[in-house]
Amino acid sequence: MAMSVEIGGGTLSEIYQSAKKLLLRTRDGLEKLERLENAGGIDSPDLSTSVKRDISQIQSFCAEMDRLWRSVGAKSQRDLWKRKVEQIAEEAQSLKESLDKYNLRNQKRAQEARERAELLGRANGEGAHVLRIFDDEAQARASVRSSSRMLEEASATGESILRKYAEQRDWLKSAQRKGLDVLNTVGLSNSVLKLIERRNRVDQSIKYAGMILTVVIVVYLIWRWR
């Protein structure tokens, strides 16, 4: 009888029942994978591996049953078992194709995630470069402000020195006039007056030399800090 054909300690009917149970479990596992995928692209490697293993086992059962049903004596029973085995094999192949499609979609999501991570990494690197540029510009502006303050201080110092020289010049002119009045009063000789005039010219030279030196210092400081 068909039901008495055995292989590896199991009859054709027992192998068929085992294959049917595995089909149900595999279908449930594949549906669970698809629900996880629809819930947000969640992957379950353990479940995927289990489904793949069950499909392989079902296909092994189909290979064994395909050999066994040929040993059934009655032609009507052979034809019946042939259709049953073919149906199990077709369902197993359909589940395998569904699992392959799921794995392809999962691989595509993983690739897209890696590409997004690479893009984000490059974006972060460019952002850090932009921040460095802003930092350099901020430091340059701070240096310019510091240089401007130093130039202003140098200019103020130069103006103060020039004012002091102007005050001293006025004081010297006043002293010269008073001295000339006194000398004229006491009747000093022309040689003494000429000596005083030479001294006045020397003082004038010193004054202008000091003013030129001050201008040179200011110009140097402006060039140095520009």
Side-chain angles (χ1 to χ4, degrees), residues 38 46 61 79 128 132 152 188 197 211:
N38 294 331
D46 292 340
F61 284 157
D79 292 342
R132 285 195 296 271
E152 290 175 357
L188 291 178
E197 288 178 358
M211 293 173 66

Side-chain angles (χ1 to χ4, degrees), residues 6-206:
E6 297 184 0
I7 180 171
T11 64
L12 178 59
S13 178
E14 290 172 346
I15 296 174
Y16 176 78
Q17 291 301 323
S18 296
K20 290 287 287 184
K21 290 179 181 178
L22 274 180
L23 275 175
L24 291 174
R25 188 170 76 183
T26 302
R27 192 177 296 113
D28 289 342
L30 188 57
E31 290 176 354
K32 185 175 181 181
L33 284 174
E34 292 176 346
R35 286 196 299 271
L36 290 173
E37 180 184 19
N38 294 331
I42 303 174
D43 184 25
S44 178
D46 292 340
L47 181 57
S48 178
T49 301
S50 177
V51 170
K52 182 179 180 180
R53 184 170 55 247
D54 288 345
I55 292 174
S56 297
Q57 184 62 51
I58 294 169
Q59 290 176 329
S60 296
F61 284 157
C62 288
E64 296 296 337
M65 289 188 295
D66 187 67
R67 186 174 65 85
L68 284 175
W69 68 262
R70 300 175 190 276
S71 301
V72 176
K75 184 178 183 304
S76 60
Q77 289 294 317
R78 285 200 306 272
D79 292 342
L80 176 63
W81 278 110
K82 178 183 178 182
R83 289 194 296 272
K84 286 184 176 181
V85 172
E86 287 176 348
Q87 183 181 8
I88 294 293
E90 289 174 357
E91 292 185 21
Q93 181 62 29
S94 176
L95 290 173
K96 182 178 182 300
E97 291 175 356
S98 296
L99 180 62
D100 290 342
K101 291 178 181 178
Y102 165 82
N103 287 330
L104 286 175
R105 293 193 301 271
N106 192 49
Q107 291 173 4
K108 184 178 179 180
R109 285 194 301 272
Q111 178 64 26
E112 291 174 350
R114 286 193 295 269
E115 291 175 354
R116 285 194 298 271
E118 291 175 358
L119 288 173
L120 182 61
R122 287 197 293 270
N124 289 336
E126 292 174 358
H129 177 65
V130 171
L131 288 176
R132 285 195 296 271
I133 292 175
F134 285 149
D135 289 341
D136 292 341
E137 290 181 352
Q139 292 177 0
R141 287 194 297 269
S143 178
V144 169
R145 288 194 296 269
S146 177
S147 299
S148 178
R149 286 195 300 270
M150 295 184 68
L151 289 175
E152 290 175 357
E153 293 175 356
S155 178
T157 301
E159 292 176 358
S160 177
I161 292 172
L162 291 175
R163 282 195 300 270
K164 289 182 178 179
Y165 274 120
E167 292 174 357
Q168 291 178 359
R169 182 192 60 188
D170 294 338
W171 181 83
L172 288 174
K173 285 183 177 181
S174 177
Q176 180 184 5
R177 286 194 299 269
K178 291 179 179 180
L180 290 174
D181 292 340
V182 172
L183 291 175
N184 289 331
T185 301
V186 297
L188 291 178
S189 64
N190 290 331
S191 60
V192 175
L193 292 175
K194 291 179 181 180
L195 178 62
I196 293 173
E197 288 178 358
R198 282 198 302 272
R199 178 58 184 272
N200 183 51
R201 285 195 296 270
V202 172
D203 291 340
Q204 290 287 340
S205 299
I206 294 173

